[in-house]
């Protein structure tokens, strides 16, 4: 009966590991076999892992295949939300508010009131009770009262359009016709814009 020693086992291992290094032909053959084995493992391993987790409707299965007990079938989610609006609907019209037309006329009266030598600050102070703070501190500060040709209002205000919370009103002066936009705020109706017609 042969005696098995560590030296004999080591010699066998050395012979196996040393075989690829004995010649270039052995080395190339070993690398080719190793590449084939790794490629096969890379192809077969994912398939083996995916098989237990496949569900009905997945790749390679039909929609009529049965799912395993305890595994939920895939659910197709369809959106039930309404389509997003691309344009805002036009605001609804509203009855004319007499307070709004009164504020428009008083604003144009103050706008046309600029005796010679009136400073911008004094002119703006006359507009303050009828104007929003944003408009008063913004565009109106660039207006030079000396360039305003009107001196008084000569007609009654005419409402051009009226929607909820806003109106466009034309007021005739002894100079140009002035169109003002008044909006309803917490303190009441206030002017947010004006234009002149030639």
């Amino acid at each position: 009966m042969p005696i098995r020693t560590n030296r004999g086992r080591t010699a066998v291992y050395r012979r196996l590991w040393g075989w690829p290094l004995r010649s270039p032909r052995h080395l190339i053959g070993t690398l080719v076999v190793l590449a084939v084995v790794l490629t096969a493992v890379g192809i077969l391993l994912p398939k083996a892992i995916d098989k237990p987790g496949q569900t009905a409707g997945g790749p390679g299965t039909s929609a009529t295949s049965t799912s395993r007990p305890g595994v939920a079938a895939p659910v197709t989610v369809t959106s039930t939300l309404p389509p997003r609006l691309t344009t805002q609907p036009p605001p609804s019209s509203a009855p004319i508010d007499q307070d709004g037309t009164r504020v428009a006329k008083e604003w144009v009266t103050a706008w046309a009131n600029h005796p010679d030598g009136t400073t911008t600050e004094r002119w703006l102070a006359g507009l303050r009770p009828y104007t929003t703070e944003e408009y008063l501190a913004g565009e109106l500060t660039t207006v030079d009262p000396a360039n305003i040709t009107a001196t008084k209002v000569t007609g009654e205000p005419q409402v051009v359009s009226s929607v909820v919370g806003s109106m466009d009103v034309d007021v005739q002066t002894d100079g140009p016709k002035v169109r003002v936009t008044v909006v309803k705020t917490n303190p009441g109706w206030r002017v947010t814009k004006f234009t002149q017609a030639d």
Side-chain angles (χ1 to χ4, degrees), residues 85 87-92:
L85 296 176
T87 57
Q88 291 287 343
S92 58

Side-chain angles (χ1 to χ4, degrees), residues 63-112:
T64 58
S65 63
T66 58
S67 59
R68 295 182 299 143
V71 177
V75 178
T76 303
V77 178
T78 56
S79 176
T80 57
L81 296 175
R84 193 188 309 184
L85 296 176
T86 54
T87 57
Q88 291 287 343
S92 58
S93 59
I96 296 171
D97 190 306
Q98 296 303 320
D99 286 339
T101 58
R102 176 186 56 78
V103 167
K105 183 176 180 180
E106 291 175 353
W107 188 91
V108 175
T109 301
W111 173 82

Side-chain angles (χ1 to χ4, degrees), residues 43-56:
I43 292 172
L44 297 177
L45 190 60
K47 289 182 179 179
I49 293 174
D50 287 345
K51 275 185 181 178
Q54 283 184 346
T55 57

Side-chain angles (χ1 to χ4, degrees), residues 109-131:
T109 301
W111 173 82
N113 182 21
H114 54 88
D116 290 341
T118 301
T119 63
T120 302
E121 291 75 17
R122 185 174 176 185
W123 178 73
L124 289 173
L127 295 174
R128 186 176 300 279
Y130 318 107
T131 314

